[in-house]
Amino acid sequence: MASRRHHRTAIAVTAALLTLTAAVGCGAVDKAIDCVRTADAIATSVNNLQQAISNASEDPTQASEALDEIDKELKNLGDTTDNADLGKAVDDLQAGVGNVRASIEKGDATPDIAPVTDAATEIGKVCTP
């Protein structure tokens, strides 16, 4: 289901980009494209996190690697826009990542990742024009 949702998000983002390209100048389009690409990368990383959590007993390092990827993409996203809604979603995602990371470090093999997925979804919404 998450894979299907990710695919639909990617299609919607692509369609929005085509519309946006025709509607605004190049600088804004470049920023929007960067935002969308980063949002897509975050969605992929969150999907990887979900899979890692469900397979935590087999390889507990996968969750940490997925969290590292989300952190990396959040740093990239910070350079793409000054949108207040995006800033809040990024802050929420960073807080969620921190909470999941802390839970894993305390030995929780199945931490609550709902705040991470919710914030990632919000980033996707904000980055879609």
Side-chain angles (χ1 to χ4, degrees):
M1 183 169 134
S3 176
R4 208 174 314 148
R5 187 174 348 133
H6 179 71
H7 181 69
R8 283 186 295 216
T9 301
I11 290 172
V13 166
T14 301
L17 280 176
L18 292 173
T19 302
L20 179 67
T21 301
V24 296
C26 291
V29 171
D30 288 343
K31 274 192 156 189
I33 289 171
D34 288 344
C35 185
V36 169
R37 284 182 184 148
T38 304
D40 186 53
I42 289 170
T44 299
S45 297
V46 169
N47 186 43
N48 292 343
L49 176 62
Q50 290 171 324
Q51 290 175 348
I53 295 297
S54 65
N55 298 328
S57 61
E58 295 172 24
D59 186 0
T61 62
Q62 286 182 349
S64 291
E65 291 170 3
L67 291 169
D68 291 343
E69 281 299 311
I70 294 170
D71 281 336
K72 176 184 158 195
E73 295 304 334
L74 285 174
K75 288 176 187 165
N76 292 339
L77 188 57
D79 297 334
T80 63
T81 187
D82 57 0
N83 181 296
D85 292 334
L86 181 57
K88 181 176 178 350
V90 167
D91 290 346
D92 291 347
L93 185 52
Q94 287 172 327
V97 166
N99 291 338
V100 170
R101 193 179 300 278
S103 293
I104 290 171
E105 289 171 358
K106 291 178 183 173
D108 186 353
T110 57
D112 179 16
I113 63 168
V116 172
T117 58
D118 292 346
T121 299
E122 187 61 25
I123 288 172
K125 289 178 186 175
V126 172
C127 285
T128 303

